[in-house]
Structure formats: structure tokens, C-alpha cells
């Protein structure tokens, strides 16, 4: 039985539905700190529990109630909100993670925890960032991602917990909005392009970041969790990427679907400095070699799908 924490978030809401389609609704328990409107279908479609990831007692109860043996831990505070509320970020991302890992140790569960390109910092080689390299992020979110990677490796080495993770780039999707990240501009731009044919970006031109379409991100989680453990040299966490672009390149791609789309700038210094501290592009050879990572969407195929699906969602 699989428990998804943060199941009503940007990744969790789509992953829960995909997992239920593969493994059966009753085998995938969705949990979230609170119910959110717009997720009624997901909540009705299978087991749902209110769970604050910092409540270790409740987490243990749920694990026992459903006989959980896999936990996909998506409950987190992302980079931009993490800079507004650094202690909350540490508390959710680290104390939440240690609760999950302790359960994993007791119940011999497989644990998936996402890391991020945010696990790298200004002294990391920025182009084709290697799998193994300097990791000195200067955001609280990034600190929790590096600490989380090390903690997951520790629980594997020391206690044999089957921990696995990937370093996600910015994720783009049309179903659930992202929750307070720095790459969120690359999602909001599509909504505004459809609604008003223009968008004002808080990230400056020339700021290249790794990005990925959500279908590829979901496949990455499932493929890694299903991978033959004897082939895994790395575990926490694999570099994966699908594309790397800056706002101008994204706007050019959107103009192929929405001619005349106008991109303005009103740069947010906080989120710009976060973005500037991250790599421009990642080397994902290790993921390709150790568990067959192979993304399907590039910028233009993502844009085509995003815009056609959003037009339906927004009745445009
Ligand atoms: C964020 N979307 O912006 C997340 C992610 C790589 C970015 O970690 O914080």
C-alpha cells in the first residue's frame, strides 16, 4: 500500500491519480495537511487522510491502519515561501522527513523523497551540473534539500531503508498550480497567455533554469521506485532534466501557439536571487544509465499540450 503525503499539491494531485490507475484506488492512500477545494474528485476516488507531516503519531497510525509499505513524501514548503518563513520550511521539510524515515525504518517501507535543483548553490558548476559536485545552496529550501538527500542516504546506509529520490527541476503542469516556488513563473505565463495574451515575469530575461513537463516528472517517480535496486549506484538524489530555457525562449515557444503574445518584466529581487543561485542545466547521465530515465516532452511539445489543455480548463 502506498501513502502519498502532500497529495493535494502540484505533484501529489497528479501522482495520486496516476498511481491509483496503475495500482488500484484502494492501494493508494492520499494525505494532506488540509482539504483543498478543487480536489473533491481525488478525495472521493480513494482513501484520504488529513495528515500534518509533523505529527509523527498520526503518521504511524495511518501507516498501521492501511499497512503502508511505500511512502511518497511530497509534503514540503518550496523555495520562495521558504525564504519568507525559513523556520517553517526547516520544520516541514526536515522534521517531516525524519518522521517519514523513522516510520520507514520501523515498517521496512520504501521511501521516495524529492530533492531539487535547489540543492545546488552559487559555487556549483552551473552548466551541465554533474551528478556528484559541490552543494552549498544559500536558501533555506536548498539547505533542506541537501540535508534531506544526506538524511535519506544515511537511513539507507545505516538502517537499510530503501530511500530513493530525484532532483526535480521546475515542474510545469495545467492541473494544480505550484505552491510558492521560484520556477512558478513558467506555469503562470501559460495561464496569462491564454487569458490576456501577455504576462509580466518576476524572473528576468536570460535566466536559464531546468524545467520539465509534469507527465515526465510522474514517470520519473514511478520508474525510479520500480527500478532494480542492484543497478542503483546513486539514490538520493538523481539529477534529472528535460529542458532548460529562459523567459524569452519560453515566450517564443508560446508565440508559436498564440501569435502576438507579449512578455513584460517586473523582476522580484528575492526570487531572482534564488534563481541566479541555481544551475543553468543539469547532467542527468546517471539517471539515464542507472534506471533508464528518458523524458518525452521538450519545450515546444510541452507548450502545445499545456495550451490546448488549459484552453479547455479555462473555457477559452
Ligand atoms: C521551487 N518548483 O521553485 C520548486 C522547485 C526547482 C524548483 O524546487 O522552489
Amino acid at each position: 500500500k502506498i501513502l502519498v503525503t502532500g497529495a493535494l499539491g502540484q505533484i501529489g494531485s497528479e501522482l495520486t491519480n496516476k498511481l491509483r490507475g496503475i495500482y488500484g484506488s484502494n492501494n493508494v492512500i492520499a494525505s494532506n495537511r488540509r482539504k483543498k477545494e478543487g480536489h473533491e474528485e481525488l478525495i472521493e476516488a480513494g482513501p484520504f487522510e488529513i495528515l500534518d507531516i509533523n505529527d509523527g503519531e498520526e503518521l504511524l497510525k495511518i501507516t498501521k491502519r492501511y499497512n503502508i509499505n511505500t511512502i511518497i513524501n511530497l509534503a514540503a514548503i518550496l523555495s520562495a515561501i521558504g525564504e519568507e518563513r525559513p523556520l517553517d520550511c526547516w520544520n516541514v521539510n526536515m522534521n517531516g522527513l525524519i518522521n517519514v524515515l523513522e516510520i520507514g525504518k520501523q515498517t521496512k517501507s520504501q521511501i521516495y523523497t524529492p530533492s531539487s535543483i535547489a540543492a545546488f548553490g552559487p559555487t556549483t558548476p552551473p552548466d551541465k551540473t554533474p551528478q556528484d559536485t559541490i552543494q552549498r545552496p544559500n536558501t533555506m529550501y536548498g539547505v533542506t534539500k541537501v540535508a534531506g538527500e544526506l538524511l535519506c542516504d544515511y537511513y539507507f546506509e545505516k538502517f537499510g531503508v530503501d530511500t530513493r529520490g530525484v532532483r526535480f527541476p521546475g515542474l510545469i503542469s495545467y492541473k494544480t498550480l505550484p505552491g510558492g516556488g521560484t520556477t512558478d513563473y513558467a506555469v503562470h505565463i501559460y495561464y496569462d497567455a491564454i487569458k490576456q495574451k501577455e504576462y509580466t515575469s518576476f524572473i528576468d530575461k536570460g535566466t536559464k533554469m531546468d524545467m520539465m513537463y509534469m507527465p515526465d516528472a510522474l514517470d520519473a517517480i514511478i520508474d525510479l521506485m520500480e527500478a532494480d535496486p542492484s543497478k542503483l549506484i546513486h539514490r538520493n538524489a538523481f539529477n534529472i532534466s528535460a529542458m532548460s530555457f529562459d523567459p524569452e525562449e519560453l515566450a517564443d515557444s508560446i508565440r508559436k501557439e498564440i501569435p502576438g503574445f507579449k512578455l513584460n518584466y517586473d523582476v522580484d529581487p528575492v526570487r531572482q536571487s534564488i534563481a541566479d543561485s541555481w544551475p543553468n542545466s543539469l547532467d542527468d547521465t546517471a539517471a539515464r544509465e542507472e534506471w533508464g530515465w528518458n523524458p518525452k516532452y521538450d519545450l515546444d511539445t510541452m507548450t502545445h499540450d499545456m495550451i490546448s489543455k488549459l484552453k479547455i480548463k479555462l473555457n477559452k
Side-chain angles (χ1 to χ4, degrees):
K1 295 284 184 88
I2 301 169
L3 172 66
V4 180
T5 70
L8 302 187
Q10 183 195 15
I11 304 172
S13 56
E14 297 199 49
L15 180 68
T16 299
N17 287 328
K18 188 173 178 89
L19 290 172
R20 283 175 170 170
I22 298 169
Y23 304 108
S25 290
N26 285 331
N27 292 321
V28 182
I29 291 78
S31 71
N32 206 76
R33 191 162 42 89
R34 59 184 173 81
K35 285 189 176 179
K36 280 159 65 175
E37 66 289 334
H39 295 281
E40 293 74 15
E41 225 174 285
L42 181 153
I43 291 168
E44 294 308 312
F48 176 82
E49 295 285 346
I50 295 288
L51 170 65
D52 179 328
I53 195 70
N54 289 109
D55 181 349
E57 294 291 303
E58 184 59 22
L59 175 59
L60 182 59
K61 261 193 248 164
I62 290 171
T63 305
K64 288 194 166 136
R65 184 178 309 147
Y66 294 98
N67 194 19
I68 299 291
N69 61 7
T70 300
I71 302 179
I72 301 194
N73 183 37
L74 301 176
I77 290 182
L78 298 184
S79 60
I81 294 183
E83 289 309 288
E84 287 168 20
R85 303 194 337 245
L87 292 185
D88 286 351
C89 184
W90 176 267
N91 195 28
V92 170
N93 295 6
M94 295 316 297
N95 296 333
L97 175 58
I98 201 112
N99 284 344
V100 168
L101 290 170
E102 274 300 299
I103 294 287
K105 186 172 120 190
Q106 289 171 45
T107 58
K108 295 276 169 279
S109 295
Q110 188 185 35
I111 310 287
Y112 172 87
T113 305
S115 182
S116 160
I117 58 173
F120 298 115
T123 55
T124 301
D127 299 307
K128 284 288 167 221
T129 299
Q131 174 65 43
D132 302 304
T133 186
I134 299 162
Q135 292 181 257
R136 296 192 67 78
N138 55 5
T139 63
M140 177 57 94
Y141 175 69
V143 167
T144 70
K145 290 294 115 179
V146 177
E149 291 185 6
L150 297 173
L151 205 52
C152 290
D153 275 347
Y154 179 85
Y155 270 76
F156 170 66
E157 303 290 344
K158 193 110 175 148
F159 306 117
V161 181
D162 183 358
T163 58
R164 308 183 189 191
V166 297
R167 290 172 186 146
F168 276 133
L171 299 183
I172 292 164
S173 63
Y174 61 86
K175 288 195 179 142
T176 305
L177 283 169
T182 298
T183 57
D184 299 5
Y185 91 89
V187 176
H188 297 302
I189 191 171
Y190 285 105
Y191 282 80
D192 283 8
I194 290 169
K195 287 178 189 166
Q196 58 209 30
K197 284 187 80 167
E198 78 174 285
Y199 173 70
T200 300
S201 172
F202 56 76
I203 294 293
D204 207 355
K205 66 176 64 176
T207 310
K208 280 182 91 72
M209 286 189 272
D210 277 85
M211 300 281 181
M212 183 181 299
Y213 199 30
M214 186 60 79
D216 281 329
L218 303 181
D219 285 343
I221 295 173
I222 294 166
D223 292 349
L224 175 55
M225 293 302 270
E226 298 277 6
D228 173 357
S230 69
K231 298 254 185 356
L232 300 182
I233 300 163
H234 298 83
R235 278 175 168 267
N236 303 284
F238 287 91
N239 284 1
I240 59 170
S241 182
M243 61 191 93
S244 169
F245 56 72
D246 81 322
E248 291 297 317
E249 291 161 324
L250 178 50
D252 288 343
S253 178
I254 288 173
R255 286 188 194 100
K256 294 174 187 167
E257 306 281 334
I258 303 179
F261 167 70
K262 193 171 177 319
L263 175 57
N264 313 306
Y265 292 94
D266 177 11
V267 175
D268 165 14
V270 173
R271 285 179 287 186
Q272 184 62 40
S273 70
I274 294 172
D276 288 341
S277 74
W278 291 349
N280 300 323
S281 59
L282 293 190
D283 173 355
D284 59 6
T285 308
R288 292 172 186 270
E289 286 175 353
E290 296 175 36
W291 50 275
W293 163 244
N294 180 26
K296 294 174 187 57
Y297 286 88
D298 64 12
L299 178 51
D300 286 342
T301 48
M302 170 175 73
T303 295
H304 178 73
D305 197 66
M306 266 298 275
I307 287 179
S308 51
K309 298 285 178 34
L310 272 179
K311 278 181 174 169
I312 297 164
K313 177 178 175 179
L314 302 173
N315 301 319
K316 292 287 178 187

